[in-house]
Amino acid sequence: MDRLRAIRDLLSGEVISNQEALLNLLRQQGFACTQSSISRDLADLGVQKIQGRYSLAPEVKIPGLLSGRPAGPNLLVLRTEIGAASLIALKIDNLGLSEVIGTLAGDDTIFLATPDAQSQTALLGHLGVVA
């Protein structure tokens, strides 16, 4: 979703201390949104308020992880470099993330089970993968 990407970019580049400021910045970029939609987006992205400012959960950089996208409300499909899926799935499992119920890896594809769609969005952001 473009708005989620815009929020990530804004939070990475600016100090934003309240939802109203974020809402105004998004509107300047042409996004039609409300405070309640921004609140849901922040929750989906796993954003926390730390020392008076919104902060993204740190991204985990996993070499070989190329892309990911939802495939229904409880399944993510992650694409990897050829031959890297099993190792990457093991790394994801070892992170102990609450958004991950389990993984199944092939050669260049990982199926990742999540509890819900909100967890998918947070997980993609945490892994630094653009849907």
Side-chain angles (χ1 to χ4, degrees), residues 26-44:
L26 288 168
R27 286 180 177 163
Q28 289 173 12
Q29 292 185 11
F31 292 98
C33 46
T34 64
Q35 184 277 327
S36 60
S37 63
I38 296 302
S39 183
R40 283 189 300 274
D41 291 344
L42 293 174
D44 287 348

Side-chain angles (χ1 to χ4, degrees), residues 15-34:
V15 174
I16 299 174
S17 58
N18 59 56
Q19 290 183 13
E20 183 178 342
L22 180 58
L23 183 62
N24 290 333
L25 290 168
L26 288 168
R27 286 180 177 163
Q28 289 173 12
Q29 292 185 11
F31 292 98
C33 46
T34 64

Side-chain angles (χ1 to χ4, degrees), residues 41-53:
D41 291 344
L42 293 174
D44 287 348
L45 291 170
V47 172
Q48 300 173 0
K49 198 162 190 179
I50 300 172
Q51 297 179 346
R53 71 176 280 191

Side-chain angles (χ1 to χ4, degrees), residues 57-63 65 91-92 95 97 125-129:
E59 287 183 7
V60 176
K61 296 293 183 188
I62 299 178
L65 182 58
K91 286 181 181 182
I92 291 171
L95 290 173
L97 302 170
H126 187 68
L127 295 174
V129 177

Side-chain angles (χ1 to χ4, degrees), residues 78 85-86 88-90 92-93 100-105 110-113:
L78 304 178
S86 292
I88 291 173
L90 179 61
I92 291 171
D93 286 338
V100 178
I101 293 175
T103 58
L104 177 65
I110 300 169
F111 292 112
L112 198 148

